[in-house]
Amino acid sequence: MSKAATVYDVAERAGVSIATVSMTFRRPDKVKESTRDLVHAAARELQYVPSASARGLADGRTRALGLFSYDYLVEARAAEAAGPASGPGGPVPVVREAPDEMCRDFPLYADEVRRGMEIASWERGYAVMIGGPSHANPAAFVTDVAGRVDGLAVFPQTLPPESLEHIAGRIPVVSVSEPPTDDRLSHVTVDNRGGTRAITEHLVRVHGCRDLMFVGGLNPAEARARFDGFRDALRAARLRVPRKPLVPGTRVDARGRAAVELPADLTLPEAFVCATDDVALDIMEILADRGIDVPGTVAVTGFDGIAAGRIVRPALTTVQQPMVEMGKAVVEILAASIEEPGRAPEVREMPVQLVLRESCGCPPRSARWAY
C-alpha cells in the first residue's frame, strides 16, 4: 500500500497554501469556488482523505459526541468466546424461538435513546462514540473518551459522580434520565412521577383495583419518582399506601440473562405496577409458569414502552417514554453547548403516554392517552 497523501501534497498539487487546503475542508464557504475546485480535484487525484484528528487540532473540535451507556454486549461477547455451534462448511444451526421472546434483549430503553442520538448526530455532522462500565477502569476509560469528543451523554449509575463532574469542566455533559448530583450539568428526563400516577389511577378507576403492589427498587432516582407517583395515586383514592415497594430477587432465566424472581409464598395483589417493562415482562413469565392468568387473576403494567411489550401476550400496558426523542434532545443540548461555551445548563422533562393494552384488562387496540 502506497503512503497516504498529506495536506502538503494536496497544497503542492493545487498550487495553494496548506491553510487554504485546510479551510476548504473545514469551512468551504470561506474559500472561492474556483479555489475549492482546484483543491478537490487535487485531493481526488491523490486519494487524499482529510484527517478528523488534524481538523480537531486546528479548531479544537472533533465533530464527535460520546455516550457512556449500559453494556448489553457482555453476554454476546461471552457467547462468542464459547465458539460457533458448527465449524466452517457445517450445517447451519436452527434456533426455535417463541415470538414473545424475540425482542426481550433488543431494542431496550437505552438502545432507543442511543438511536435518537445517532439520528440527530448524523443530521448535524457528528459521529457517536460509545463506551460502557464493563471496562476495567471506567473512570479512566471515560476520561480518555472525553478527550476525543466535543460533548458527552451519560446514563444513570454508569460513571462515578466525581468523574462526571471532572469531565464537565472540560466538555459539555448531559445526564440522561437521572438528575445529576451537580446542578451545573444539563439533564434530559421524563415525567416519571406523573406517568406512574396516571397508570395507577387507571387501574383504580377503570378496573376497580384496590390492592396494588409496586415492584422495583428505588435506585436510580427515576425509580423513586415512579414509586412516589404510585403512592400519590393511592393516597388520592384513599387506599392503603405502602411505605416501600416490593424489591424482587434475581434469577438467571433460560436465555442466560438476569431476571427478577417473586417469592413463592407471595400473596398476589390485584395489580402489579412495575418500575420498568423488563420487570413487568419477567413477572408475566413467572405468573404464566405458575398457571396464573393475566389479567384475569392479576393485572400487570410496566414503564418504558420497549418493543417486547407489544409482542408479548397479553400485550403489556405501559407508560411510553419518548426514548428516541430523548436521544435527539440530548444531542440538541450538547450541540448548543458546544457552539456556545458557558451556556447555562438545561433541564428538559419530556411528556409520557399511557398505552393501554390487554395486560391491565383493557380490550385489544385500546386508545393511547397522552399524559
Side-chain angles (χ1 to χ4, degrees), residues 73-87:
L73 303 178
V74 175
E75 289 180 18
R77 282 195 292 266
E80 189 175 279
S86 59

Side-chain angles (χ1 to χ4, degrees), residues 81-95:
S86 59
V92 176
V94 176
V95 178

